Amino acid sequence: MNIVFRKSSLLSGQNLILSGSKSESNRLLILQQLFPELKITNLSNSDDVQAMQLGLSSTTDVIDVHHAGTTMRFLTAYYALCSDRIVELTGSLRMQERPIAILVDALRQLGAQITYQKKEGFPPLCIHGCKAQGGKVVLPADISSQYISALLLVGSKLPQGITLELIGDITSRPYIEMTLQLLQQLGCSTSFEGNIVQVNPINIPNQIEFTVESDWSSASYFYGLIALGEIGDELTLAYFKQDSLQGDALIATYFKQFGVETTFHTDYSINLKKVRNAVSCFEANLVETPDLAQTIAVTCFGLGILCKLTGLHTLKIKETDRLVALKKELSKFGAEVRITDNSLELTATGSLKTAIAVDTYQDHRMAMAFAILSLKTSLTINEAEVVSKSFVDFWDCFSALQFDFDVIE
């Protein structure tokens, strides 16, 4: 499915309800599998969360997670240490190019039996499940936080709990803290001091209910729309908390530099309003919020301002190499983009080119980030259905905001 945009205007003043956080939902689903007393409401309806639900409920020997990276990592830890089954975990061709050796090595330190079915260090994996006791694991700190969260989640069920010693500088700390705070709300004793993270085993005697907050990563695209709009434009989004567990809630702070103010209301709605023009140059280290990089880069380009982003080393192992993809697609519109393994610098070189076709590389965030440029120019989003990975209703929201587009099946 391709979506063809004509240059559009934002219908200001609308109210949108966004689905539950994918990050919170997948963590809570693992915890619910470990502790059936847990009840969850407002789960995300994204493909990744559905993949997690299917992976946990599957009775087959082969479990295919498709493109769902979080699901691959969390299920690897779950089936390795908290199950007595023998399963093969596999995924899409891109998933089979995404490294998992660091997590496998860490699990082996706890007694896991995992073998690679094809290429060493990559899925698919054959897992001989065991009921592990827990203990201490040493692993690098500058890795995907999903590896660390996978270990912490299952550690809450292991008789000895789990202690992680992280060597080096920690990446995406907010996602680790999200995991720990969810565990704490279940009654789990945790600590995170220096580079040592500890989770003690817990027992949940009574039913406990969690309501998943809406997804701040999904909200970022509407921040982009307001930033690219006119002064006075506004939108209201639900349901979001000022004391959010999600690291990507920093989008509200970042977008102050684009003139967007966020007002929190007692009914857990937020109002986004453009109150001033943007700065001339946006600079940020996104090591703790890498999923916001595409939205920020495209917003800067649409505003015609200089953009300097660092802390992006994990983008190379996402659904696609997001740094390379951003450079290719922004260059089509006339941007000058320089990338390294860890950074992106962008300069708008003139007026935006029109009728550009954006390739999405099976990456949901490429589709959604570039869609906001329809406020500035005409464009086509190729393979637009990819948004369902995290935001099933994304194009419905654009329709509700009366963007001018056609869907080409």
Side-chain angles (χ1 to χ4, degrees):
M1 179 181 85
N2 297 341
I3 290 186
V4 181
F5 279 101
R6 289 165 286 278
K7 184 180 177 182
S8 301
S9 299
L10 176 66
L11 181 63
S12 179
Q14 299 304 296
N15 299 285
L16 300 173
I17 297 175
L18 306 191
S19 176
S21 161
K22 177 169 68 77
S23 298
E24 284 189 27
S25 294
N26 274 337
R27 284 161 173 78
L28 289 168
L29 284 170
I30 288 288
L31 290 171
Q32 185 181 57
Q33 188 75 10
L34 298 172
F35 307 102
E37 299 84 1
L38 174 60
K39 182 180 178 182
I40 310 169
T41 58
N42 197 38
L43 271 175
S44 167
N45 59 357
S46 66
D47 287 353
D48 276 16
V49 171
Q50 292 181 41
M52 181 69 80
Q53 291 172 304
L54 290 172
L56 289 169
S57 62
S58 173
T59 59
T60 63
D61 296 334
V62 178
I63 298 173
D64 188 345
V65 305
H66 303 290
H67 304 307
T70 306
T71 303
M72 171 61 74
R73 284 126 183 204
F74 287 8
L75 290 185
T76 296
Y78 169 75
Y79 279 113
L81 301 184
C82 300
S83 169
D84 54 9
R85 291 176 56 189
I86 299 175
V87 298
E88 179 181 317
L89 278 183
T90 189
S92 65
L93 289 176
R94 173 59 182 168
M95 184 61 62
Q96 294 178 36
E97 297 172 347
R98 298 177 71 176
I100 200 167
I102 291 174
L103 177 58
V104 170
D105 291 345
L107 292 167
R108 285 172 172 169
Q109 292 179 51
L110 298 172
Q113 299 180 55
I114 305 173
T115 56
Y116 298 108
Q117 298 297 90
K118 293 182 180 178
K119 185 179 179 181
E120 188 77 9
F122 298 83
L125 308 174
C126 181
I127 301 173
H128 290 247
C130 69
K131 298 295 181 68
Q133 293 300 302
K136 184 176 180 179
V137 176
V138 179
L139 71 165
D142 60 342
I143 56 173
S144 169
S145 63
Q146 293 175 6
Y147 297 159
I148 297 168
S149 288
L151 292 163
L152 296 176
L153 290 168
V154 299
S156 66
K157 187 68 173 179
L158 306 181
Q160 296 176 17
I162 196 167
T163 300
L164 306 184
E165 181 180 352
L166 306 176
I167 307 300
D169 295 328
I170 297 171
T171 296
S172 299
R173 179 182 288 266
Y175 287 99
I176 302 171
E177 293 176 342
M178 174 198 293
T179 301
L180 293 175
Q181 289 180 57
L182 288 175
L183 287 166
Q184 289 165 16
Q185 291 179 35
L186 282 179
C188 183
S189 172
T190 75
S191 65
F192 191 178
E193 298 180 2
N195 278 39
I196 304 295
V197 192
Q198 184 172 353
V199 168
N200 295 314
I202 55 174
N203 177 48
I204 303 177
N206 302 308
Q207 187 176 88
I208 185 170
E209 181 172 331
F210 268 87
T211 299
V212 180
E213 182 187 16
S214 292
D215 194 274
W216 278 97
S217 305
S218 296
S220 73
Y221 310 110
F222 301 99
Y223 274 90
L225 289 175
I226 293 297
L228 294 180
E230 304 294 332
I231 291 178
D233 281 351
E234 59 183 330
L235 290 174
T236 299
L237 309 177
Y239 298 95
F240 294 93
K241 303 174 184 177
Q242 195 160 9
D243 58 348
S244 175
L245 301 181
Q246 299 173 51
D248 284 350
L250 278 171
I251 192 72
T253 300
Y254 292 146
F255 269 68
K256 288 180 180 179
Q257 295 189 58
F258 299 128
V260 180
E261 290 291 339
T262 305
T263 304
F264 291 83
H265 299 290
T266 56
D267 63 354
Y268 297 114
S269 66
I270 55 173
N271 178 261
L272 320 182
K273 186 172 183 177
K274 185 164 184 177
V275 297
R276 67 182 74 89
N277 290 323
V279 297
S280 59
C281 176
F282 180 92
E283 296 187 53
N285 185 328
L286 302 184
V287 69
E288 295 188 342
T289 53
D291 283 345
L292 300 180
Q294 288 141 299
T295 309
I296 290 172
V298 174
T299 299
C300 287
F301 177 66
L303 289 169
I305 65 175
L306 184 65
C307 178
K308 297 179 180 180
L309 304 178
T310 57
L312 305 181
H313 61 279
T314 60
L315 294 192
K316 299 187 75 64
I317 59 169
K318 296 289 187 176
E319 286 79 353
T320 186
D321 183 331
R322 287 178 173 170
L323 287 168
V324 172
L326 275 170
K327 180 176 181 177
K328 287 182 178 177
E329 300 312 306
L330 284 166
S331 297
K332 291 179 182 179
F333 287 92
E336 184 177 295
V337 184
R338 294 164 293 283
I339 60 172
T340 69
D341 286 344
N342 181 56
S343 68
L344 179 146
E345 184 172 327
L346 178 151
T347 305
T349 57
S351 59
L352 279 71
K353 295 180 181 179
T354 62
I356 298 298
V358 176
D359 292 321
T360 52
Y361 308 91
Q362 298 183 327
D363 185 348
H364 53 135
R365 301 202 186 283
M366 288 296 292
M368 293 185 285
F370 276 88
I372 69 176
L373 278 184
S374 57
L375 285 181
K376 297 294 184 179
T377 189
S378 59
L379 72 155
T380 297
I381 304 292
N382 292 333
E383 297 181 311
E385 70 278 2
V386 74
V387 301
S388 65
K389 178 177 172 61
S390 64
F391 196 165
V392 173
D393 304 322
F394 183 76
W395 300 120
D396 291 335
C397 289
F398 265 61
S399 181
L401 295 174
Q402 296 186 10
F403 277 72
D404 188 3
F405 64 86
D406 294 323
V407 178
I408 309 299
E409 299 286 349

